[in-house]
Amino acid sequence: MELWIGFRTGFALILAIGAQNAFVLRQGIRREHVWAVVLVCAVSDALLISLGVSGLGKLVEAMPWLFPVMRWGGAAFLILYGAKAMIAAWKGGAAMEADAQGAVPLGKVIATCLMFTWLNPHVYLDTVLLVGSISTQFPGHEWEFGAGAMLASFVFFGMLGFGARLVAPLFANQAAWRVLDVIVGLMMWSVAANLIVRG
């Protein structure tokens, strides 16, 4: 029971399309290092959920300096990545076949994916603090709840990354890539603005 509740909770929290999800979707459409991206996102979530369930959310709350650092660092990264997407949309030439591989080195893709995950304060709020606090409602079954939330991350990112292949043929068209890059850029800037204005 707790496993299922944890799964539903984790899936609901991760469902909103944010900067990280947009990156996974783009990599899925490109069919570029999808396994690595899915695993990095899901394993990162699992680690953060583990911290929350183990009670370290209280430790995070005890470090008031941590969130401002992550907030400004994350905002700066999102602004730069959004600008990169907008420049790509302006220049065009990003059309590629669905089977294109290796355009970006694996190390660079993983580094970018890690930044989307670990520089986003909202990820800590959802996984460490929120999931951690909800798990306390199930005394003796906290880890079952946490396992459900972890499973939701693996399922969601797998569906997003590999499901993106269904629309990949559309992106053999340069205009479609330009539209996607504009959407990604606007999304990155929107999340960055939210971090700056609301914290």
Side-chain angles (χ1 to χ4, degrees):
M1 183 65 175
E2 287 79 10
L3 184 75
W4 172 238
I5 296 173
F7 182 89
R8 285 186 302 167
T9 302
F11 206 89
L13 289 173
I14 203 172
L15 192 58
I17 292 294
Q20 182 191 48
N21 294 351
F23 178 75
V24 176
L25 179 64
R26 193 175 196 280
Q27 291 302 120
I29 291 171
R30 291 170 62 96
R31 297 190 181 187
E32 185 179 74
H33 310 305
V34 181
W35 270 111
V37 169
V38 168
L39 286 175
V40 166
C41 291
V43 171
S44 293
D45 266 13
L47 289 172
L48 290 166
I49 290 168
S50 296
L51 291 176
V53 173
S54 65
L56 290 185
K58 294 179 180 178
L59 179 62
V60 173
E61 291 178 326
M63 296 186 291
W65 54 268
L66 184 60
F67 276 96
V69 170
M70 289 189 301
R71 183 177 114 192
W72 290 105
F77 170 70
L78 290 170
I79 289 169
L80 290 174
Y81 196 92
K84 180 182 175 183
M86 288 299 193
I87 291 170
W90 176 263
K91 289 183 176 180
M96 58 190 65
E97 298 300 326
D99 62 351
Q101 294 287 341
V104 179
L106 175 61
K108 184 174 181 180
V109 170
I110 290 177
T112 302
C113 191
L114 286 170
M115 285 189 279
F116 273 122
T117 302
W118 294 89
L119 286 181
N120 183 359
H122 294 169
V123 171
Y124 293 84
L125 291 173
D126 286 346
T127 56
V128 179
L129 297 179
L130 188 54
V131 173
S133 64
I134 295 175
S135 72
T136 62
Q137 298 177 22
F138 307 96
H141 300 279
E142 295 91 346
W143 285 103
E144 290 176 43
F145 176 86
M150 293 177 202
L151 179 61
S153 290
F154 279 91
V155 170
F156 176 81
F157 285 119
M159 289 172 55
L160 184 62
F162 293 103
R165 296 184 179 193
L166 297 175
V167 296
L170 172 66
F171 289 90
N173 183 303
Q174 186 179 128
W177 271 106
R178 282 183 158 173
V179 170
L180 179 65
D181 280 329
V182 168
I183 292 172
V184 169
L186 290 174
M187 188 173 295
M188 302 302 167
W189 285 347
S190 173
V191 176
N194 186 59
L195 286 176
I196 292 170
V197 174
R198 299 185 183 181

